[in-house]
Amino acid sequence: GAPPGAGRGGGGAGRAAPPGGRWPVGRPAPTGLAAASVDLVASAQAFHWFDPVATRREWARILRPGGPVIVFWNSRMAAASPFLHDYEALLHAYGKDYARVAERHPDDDAMRAWFGPGFRAMARFAHTQPLDFDALYGRLRSSSSTPPPDDPRHAPMRAELRRVFDKHAEQGMIRFDYLTRVFVGTLH
C-alpha cells in the first residue's frame, strides 16, 4: 500500500500534472498500468517504503524497452551541525518506529544491485534548506514517523522542536542540510 502518512502529500498533490500525464498515488506494484506503456519511472523520497523485488518486476513490466528509472531521495546530514544532531534526537524521542524507518534507505551498493546490469549512474548533491520555525514545523509534520496533532505526544514534540529551533536559530532561521542521492538505470 501507500506509505504511512500518505495523506500528508506526495504524488504531485496540489500541482498540475504535465500535459498527457498524471500523478498516481498509491502502490508501486501493482500499478494497474498496461505493459510497456511508460517512458520513464521516477521515485522521489518514497523508494524505502517499496518491496524491492515486486517493485522491480512491476516497473520492468510497465516500462517501454530501454526506459529509464530514476530513484532519488534526500537524507538529512545528521552529523553536519549541532542543530541536526538535536533534530535527530527529537525524532528518536518522539517518532513512531523512527529508528526502524530511518534505517530503511538502501545504501549505494544495494541500489546498484537492485538495478543490476542496467545500472547507469549515481550522483550525490549536498544542499541546504533555510527554514523559519513554521517551515521547520511543517517539515517535521511531513515525516511519516511523527505523531499527528491529535496524538498526546504531539504537543511535547512541538515544544521540544521550538526549544531546539530557538537554541540554534540565527536571525530566525536554521539550516537544514541534506544529501540527495540519485540513481539512474534501466530494468530490461
Side-chain angles (χ1 to χ4, degrees), residues 4 8 45 48-49 73-79 83-105 139-147 153 157 176-178:
R8 299 181 189 207
Q45 210 62 27
H48 62 290
W49 294 112
W73 58 85
N74 294 315
S75 297
R76 275 185 315 284
M77 298 173 68
F83 161 72
L84 285 171
H85 178 270
D86 288 354
Y87 186 83
E88 189 76 8
L90 179 147
L91 291 172
H92 279 280
Y94 294 96
K96 301 173 290 192
D97 293 330
Y98 176 71
R100 183 182 60 79
V101 171
E103 296 171 7
R104 290 184 61 144
H105 288 290
R139 169 68 187 88
L140 178 68
R141 289 192 57 207
S142 75
S143 297
S144 59
S145 66
T146 59
R153 296 173 302 142
M157 177 189 70
F176 214 96
D177 299 311
Y178 292 102

Side-chain angles (χ1 to χ4, degrees), residues 29-69:
T31 61
L33 298 172
S37 65
V38 175
D39 293 317
L40 163 82
V41 172
S43 170
Q45 210 62 27
F47 190 80
H48 62 290
W49 294 112
F50 303 164
D51 174 310
V53 173
T55 298
R56 188 179 199 292
R57 182 175 43 248
E58 176 67 358
W59 290 0
R61 185 188 73 76
I62 66 172
L63 275 166
R64 290 187 177 95
V69 171

